[in-house]
Amino acid sequence: MARTVKGPDARRERWKGHREQRRAEFVEATIAAVARKGPDVGMEDVAAEAGVSKPVLYRHFTDKSDLYLAVGQKATELLMDRMGPALIADGPIRGRILGIVDAYLSVIEENPNLYRFVVKGSFVDRPVEKDVVAEDKNLIASTLARILGDYLRSFEMDSGGAEPWAHALVGMVQNAGDWWLDRQTMSRTNLSEYLTTLIWHAIDGLLRSAGVQADPAKPLTPLRLVD
């Protein structure tokens, strides 16, 4: 019976799969090291967590920046796994705002050291090719801009300001989250409610300036104020 001889392509694919698996394992080890030791971990901490030597790590990552970006990508996945459902959820506008804000805060509350590791970027030795934090903010802001734009257009209002408004909201929530992680002077529930109230009243004020009244506790159905 003839034997099937695996060619170089099959070996290459098998090696590629092995490298991808090892990279994923080292990313998880980095996240575990960060969770235990804080955002200022070094390669020696990661290697110890993974149970390998530093040279082994460098076989799978070009340098510390390469590992940092891989961890940043994993952090983005964690963030969007939580925020994605909240961003596309339907229902009353205030409830949707609360869901989005609380989803974001829940992620940084559960992963404070990972958040600081990615945001500070002190792990890397040189400027990285991608700005992980900026990419996340742009992704969330773009989604919010579409939501806000659709909402304003449903009331036949100008939606031209939806994009800068969305970026402003993302910046506000992130800055409030940074303050909260450092201070912890209130519960996540309270902070989510405070931020939601601010955001809703900004939306409500804009709507009222155009003669539109919307009930935050009801589905998004346009309702014009009676003159």
Side-chain angles (χ1 to χ4, degrees), residues 4-17:
T4 300
V5 179
K6 294 183 179 180
D9 288 343
R11 289 195 296 271
R12 188 178 301 112
E13 286 301 313
R14 186 168 64 250
W15 175 240
K16 178 183 178 182

Side-chain angles (χ1 to χ4, degrees), residues 184-202:
Q184 293 288 323
T185 55
M186 65 180 68
S187 68
R188 190 186 89 213
T189 298
N190 284 345
L191 180 60
S192 296
E193 286 286 350
Y194 287 145
L195 292 175
T196 297
T197 297
L198 285 172
I199 294 169
W200 163 247
H201 281 294

